[in-house]
Amino acid sequence: MEAKVFDSNLFKRILKYTKPYKARFYGVIAFAVFLSIFAALRPYLLKQTVDEYIEPKDKYGLLVYAIWMGIVLILEVFSQFYFVYWANWLGQDIIKDIRVKLFKHMLTFRMKYYDNAPVGQLVTRSVSDIEQIARIFSQGLFMIISDLLKMVVILGFMFYMNWRLTWVVILAMPILVYATRKFQQKMQVAFEEVRTQVANMNTFVQERVTGMKIVQLFNREEIEYEKFKAINDKHKTAWIKTILYNSIFFPIADIISSLTLGAVVIYGGFHILDGDKFTTFGDMFSYTMFISMLFNPLRQIADKFNEMQMGMIAANRVFDIIDKDSDVQSNGNKIAPHFEGNIHFENVRFSYIKEEEVLKGINLEVKSGETIAIVGSTGAGKSTIINLLNRFYEIDSGKITIDNYDIQEFELESLRKQIAIVLQDVFLFADTIFNNITLNNPEISREEVITAAKKIGIHKFIMTLPNGYDYNVKERGVMLSSGQRQLIAFLRAYVSNPSILILDEATSSIDSYSEELIQKATEKITQGRTSIVIAHRLATIINADKIIVMDKGKIVEMGSHNELLLKSNGYYKNLYEAQFAVES
C-alpha cells in the first residue's frame, strides 16, 4: 500500500494547537513575508547598481546603492532572527501542551492498557515523538511557507526584469518539481520505518536495563547482545534508506540548477553579443543569484517537507494514544466519604483476557473493622480481587459495593484515596524517603510523618539512614533492602489515613528483623479499620477475623483459622499442615 504523502486532516488537528498562540503564529508568517521581499531585493539592487552606476562609472550613485543594499541586508537579518526564534518558540509551546495532554490521558488508562503496552514504546511516544512534532513548526511548516513566498516574490522580480530569461528558468522547474514529489513519497515510507525501529530499540533497551540483574544472573549477556545487534541493524537499515534517497535527490537537484544557470548564461550572452537591449550585464549578474535563490528553496522544500512528514508520523502515533478512549477508566460522579468499611462482592465475574475467566462468581462480605485474609495457590484470583476493589480493571458482571454504594458511582480519585495498599513489590521513586512516604502531598506535614513513624515503630530505622527522612533511595529504591522498602510502604499507607487497608503479600521475602517490625506495624495500622490481607505465609494471618480460601477463581472455604482446621481434608487444613511441615 502506498503511503499517503500528506494527511490534511492530521495537519488540521495539529494546527488547532496553535490557537492559544495566534499572535505569534501570524507574527512568524509576517516575518516570512518580509524575509522573502528583502531576499529578492538584493539581486534587484545588484542589477540596478551594475546597469545604472558601474557601467556609466557613477561613483556617487554606486555609493548610495551600496548603502541601500546594506540597509536591506540588515532588515533581512532582523527578519530572519525573529522568524526562526518565534517559529521555534511556538513549536516548543505546542509540544508542551501536547505532552501535558498525553501524560494526563495516560494517567486515566486502565491497568489493562499498561499490561499490553511496552514501557519503552510509551517513553518514545512521550519524549522523542513529541520532540519531533516541534520540528513541524521550527523546520517544516514555516520554512516551507517562507521558501514558497521567496519563490513567488523572486519570480515576480525576474519577470519584471527580463521575462525572456525567466522563461528559460521556468522551463527547467517542472523537472525539479517532479523529482521532489517522488523524493517525498519515498521518504514518507522510509521515515515511517525509522520511527518504528526507534520505538523497538527504546523498548528493548529499557526492558534490558531494568532487568539487568536477571540478564546477568542467568548469563544471558551474549544472547541479549546478539538480539540488540539485530535490532540495531534494522534501525541502521531504515536510516540508510533515507540516506540513499537524499544521496540521489540532492545531486539531481544540483545538476538541474547548474544546467539552468548555464542555459541562462548562454542565452543571455548571445543576446548581449547581438546588441539586444532587453538583456543587460546587470540581468546576468542578478540572474546568477536569482537561480540559486529560486532553486535552493525548491530543493529545501523537499527537505523541510521531510521534517513535516516525520513530525506528522510522530503526531499520528501520539494522537493514536490520546484517541484511545476505550482504554480510559470510567469515572463516577460521587465523592467517596470516609467509609465505614462494609464491602460486598455480589456474583462478581472477571477476565483479563476475553473468555478466560479469572473470577467465577465471587460472593464475599466484609464487615466494618474486620480483618480478613485471602489465601490460595498462585493464580487463584487473590490479587485480582484487590485490583477490582480499586477499579484498576472493570468487572465483566456482578456488583461490588462499599457501604451499600456501587464503587462505579464514585470518582476514582476519591475512591482510591480511601483505600491504601501495601504491595509485595514496593515501588519507590528516585527521591527522598519523606517524598516517597507523602508522594508530594502538601497536606501531609513532616511532623505528621514523624509522629506516624514513631507510632508504628519505624522512626528509629529511618533515623539510622544518612540524612534520615531526606535520604535519597535512588531509582526504584535500590539503596534499601526489600524489608526496608516494605516498611516505607507501611508508613506511606498509614499517613494516608485510609478507610480500608490492603496488604498484598506484604510480609513475604523479607528478613526476620524487618518482619518483626512489619508485624508490629500491621497491628497498629489495621486497628479500627477494615483490612484485607493476602498472604502465602499462613502463620501471619492466624488471628484474622475471617479467612477466605480461593482456588481457580472460586471461594472454596471460609471461616476462622480454628474453624478451617476442624474441616476434615479441608483445603486450608492441608495447605497449613504442608506449610508447617516445610517450615519445621
Side-chain angles (χ1 to χ4, degrees):
M1 182 179 176
E2 187 177 349
K4 194 173 182 179
V5 176
F6 189 80
D7 189 335
S8 59
N9 291 328
L10 177 62
F11 184 64
K12 288 176 184 176
R13 183 174 181 181
I14 296 168
L15 282 183
K16 287 181 181 177
Y17 287 90
T18 66
K19 285 184 178 180
Y21 314 102
K22 278 184 179 179
R24 208 181 314 150
F25 180 84
Y26 291 119
V28 175
I29 294 176
F31 279 114
V33 173
F34 298 148
L35 193 59
S36 62
I37 293 171
F38 296 139
L41 269 175
R42 284 190 292 112
Y44 177 75
L45 290 175
L46 178 62
K47 167 193 164 53
Q48 296 298 106
T49 303
V50 172
D51 291 343
E52 302 294 333
Y53 301 106
I54 293 179
E55 278 197 274
K57 299 181 180 179
D58 182 349
K59 292 182 180 179
Y60 177 76
L62 176 61
L63 180 61
V64 171
Y65 259 71
I67 293 171
W68 275 112
M69 289 180 71
I71 293 171
V72 169
L73 183 60
I74 291 170
L75 290 172
E76 185 181 354
V77 170
F78 177 81
S79 300
Q80 180 79 21
F81 169 77
Y82 277 100
F83 172 75
V84 173
Y85 180 70
W86 282 12
N88 281 272
W89 183 12
L90 179 64
Q92 289 302 315
D93 273 334
I94 288 168
I95 65 168
K96 175 202 68 176
D97 294 343
I98 295 176
R99 185 180 282 123
V100 168
K101 183 174 182 178
L102 173 66
F103 188 73
K104 185 178 180 181
H105 193 65
M106 287 168 60
L107 289 173
T108 67
F109 282 156
R110 297 188 181 103
M111 285 297 111
K112 184 177 180 180
Y113 177 82
Y114 293 103
D115 291 342
N116 300 317
V119 175
Q121 192 177 85
L122 292 177
V123 172
T124 302
R125 300 290 178 267
S126 305
V127 182
S128 60
D129 276 346
I130 287 185
E131 286 294 336
Q132 191 64 46
I133 295 173
R135 297 179 72 84
I136 293 176
F137 299 94
S138 62
Q139 301 295 324
L141 174 64
F142 294 124
M143 291 294 183
I144 291 174
I145 291 173
S146 176
D147 288 344
L148 288 173
L149 285 171
K150 278 183 186 178
M151 292 171 64
V152 170
V153 174
I154 286 168
L155 281 171
F157 272 90
M158 290 171 72
F159 269 111
Y160 173 73
M161 289 164 52
N162 192 316
W163 63 269
R164 290 186 179 89
L165 290 180
T166 304
W167 275 112
V168 175
V169 176
I170 287 177
L171 288 172
M173 289 183 70
I175 302 172
L176 186 56
V177 170
Y178 176 78
T180 300
R181 182 167 179 78
K182 286 296 180 184
F183 175 64
Q184 290 166 355
Q185 291 173 338
K186 293 293 184 182
M187 290 299 279
Q188 166 77 13
V189 178
F191 281 143
E192 180 71 43
E193 179 64 19
V194 166
R195 298 311 303 167
T196 299
Q197 295 306 326
V198 167
N200 290 342
M201 182 176 289
N202 284 346
T203 300
F204 184 89
V205 172
Q206 190 274 335
E207 286 181 345
R208 270 57 185 184
V209 170
T210 303
M212 187 58 71
K213 183 182 286 187
I214 299 299
V215 171
Q216 294 183 355
L217 278 173
F218 290 90
N219 298 313
R220 290 190 52 91
E221 292 94 337
E222 190 64 30
I223 295 171
E224 299 302 334
Y225 169 69
E226 292 299 328
K227 283 185 178 180
F228 181 77
K229 279 176 63 179
I231 292 172
N232 198 32
D233 190 59
K234 289 181 180 178
H235 179 261
K236 179 199 73 173
T237 302
W239 270 111
I240 284 176
K241 284 184 181 179
T242 68
I243 295 168
L244 174 64
Y245 297 144
N246 278 290
S247 301
I248 294 171
F249 172 74
F250 288 108
I252 289 175
D254 285 337
I255 290 169
I256 295 170
S257 178
S258 299
L259 289 175
T260 304
L261 178 60
V264 167
V265 170
I266 293 170
Y267 180 77
F270 274 115
H271 277 273
I272 291 173
L273 293 174
D274 289 340
D276 186 351
K277 296 179 182 179
F278 292 104
T279 304
T280 66
F281 281 107
D283 289 335
M284 300 296 287
F285 273 103
S286 62
Y287 266 70
T288 56
M289 290 181 66
F290 273 137
I291 289 171
S292 175
M293 293 172 67
L294 185 66
F295 277 43
N296 278 343
L298 185 59
R299 204 178 75 167
Q300 288 170 5
I301 282 175
D303 195 31
K304 303 310 177 190
F305 200 89
N306 292 337
E307 294 288 352
M308 278 195 66
Q309 284 180 323
M310 286 196 73
M312 289 178 69
I313 289 169
N316 193 43
R317 293 173 183 270
V318 170
F319 290 148
D320 185 54
I321 297 176
I322 292 175
D323 292 339
K324 285 187 181 298
D325 290 331
S326 60
D327 289 309
V328 174
Q329 303 169 96
S330 57
N331 206 358
N333 52 23
K334 185 176 292 185
I335 301 297
H338 193 81
F339 295 128
E340 291 181 16
N342 296 293
I343 303 169
H344 187 202
F345 280 67
E346 184 179 333
N347 197 29
V348 173
R349 293 182 176 273
F350 172 76
S351 54
Y352 292 104
I353 301 171
K354 196 173 182 180
E355 296 180 358
E356 293 184 19
E357 277 194 337
V358 176
L359 296 185
K360 304 169 183 178
I362 295 294
N363 289 286
L364 172 63
E365 187 172 354
V366 184
K367 294 180 181 179
S368 175
E370 272 191 337
T371 296
I372 73 158
I374 305 177
V375 301
S377 58
T378 301
K382 305 184 299 294
S383 294
T384 300
I385 286 180
I386 306 311
N387 289 334
L388 297 182
L389 188 61
N390 280 276
R391 289 190 59 203
F392 291 138
Y393 301 84
E394 300 297 345
I395 61 177
D396 297 339
S397 64
K399 190 176 182 181
I400 303 175
T401 64
I402 300 178
D403 294 347
N404 297 319
Y405 290 104
D406 192 323
I407 61 172
Q408 294 189 5
E409 297 177 15
F410 295 119
E411 287 186 359
L412 282 169
E413 183 180 354
S414 67
L415 172 67
R416 290 172 183 167
K417 193 174 182 180
Q418 297 302 323
I419 303 173
I421 304 181
V422 180
L423 299 170
Q424 176 184 0
D425 184 18
V426 177
F427 186 93
L428 297 181
F429 296 94
D431 206 335
T432 64
I433 284 181
F434 177 75
N435 287 336
N436 269 290
I437 292 167
T438 64
L439 296 178
N440 295 301
N441 185 347
E443 296 178 3
I444 303 174
S445 68
R446 182 176 288 261
E447 289 72 24
E448 288 177 302
V449 170
I450 293 172
T451 301
K454 288 177 178 178
K455 281 184 178 179
I456 65 174
I458 66 173
H459 174 71
K460 289 182 180 179
F461 142 66
I462 294 175
M463 294 309 295
T464 61
L465 300 171
N467 299 321
Y469 289 87
D470 294 316
Y471 179 62
N472 193 311
V473 300
K474 305 300 180 184
E475 187 175 2
R476 299 182 68 88
V478 294
M479 303 304 291
L480 301 178
S481 69
S482 59
Q484 290 171 330
R485 290 196 294 271
Q486 288 283 8
L487 291 170
I488 299 302
F490 267 80
L491 185 53
R492 177 195 288 171
Y494 187 54
V495 298
S496 68
N497 191 29
S499 307
I500 298 167
L501 178 69
I502 297 169
L503 307 179
D504 189 356
E505 309 285 0
T507 57
S508 62
S509 305
I510 57 175
D511 58 87
S512 57
Y513 174 72
S514 295
E515 182 177 358
E516 185 180 345
L517 288 176
I518 286 174
Q519 285 178 346
K520 289 180 180 178
T522 302
E523 291 173 9
K524 185 67 180 178
I525 66 177
T526 57
Q527 190 174 359
R529 58 169 57 92
T530 302
S531 304
I532 301 174
V533 181
I534 296 176
H536 279 305
R537 300 178 65 182
L538 304 185
T540 62
I541 49 96
I542 289 174
N543 295 323
D545 296 311
K546 185 162 50 181
I547 298 173
I548 311 298
V549 185
M550 295 189 66
D551 185 38
K552 298 177 182 178
K554 295 180 179 180
I555 295 176
V556 293
E557 290 178 1
M558 187 183 304
S560 68
H561 171 71
N562 292 329
E563 289 171 348
L564 293 176
L565 286 182
L566 293 175
K567 290 189 177 184
S568 177
N569 200 32
Y571 190 103
Y572 178 82
K573 182 180 180 180
N574 292 336
L575 192 66
Y576 180 79
E577 290 177 349
Q579 193 173 110
F580 183 76
V582 169
E583 289 178 357
S584 298

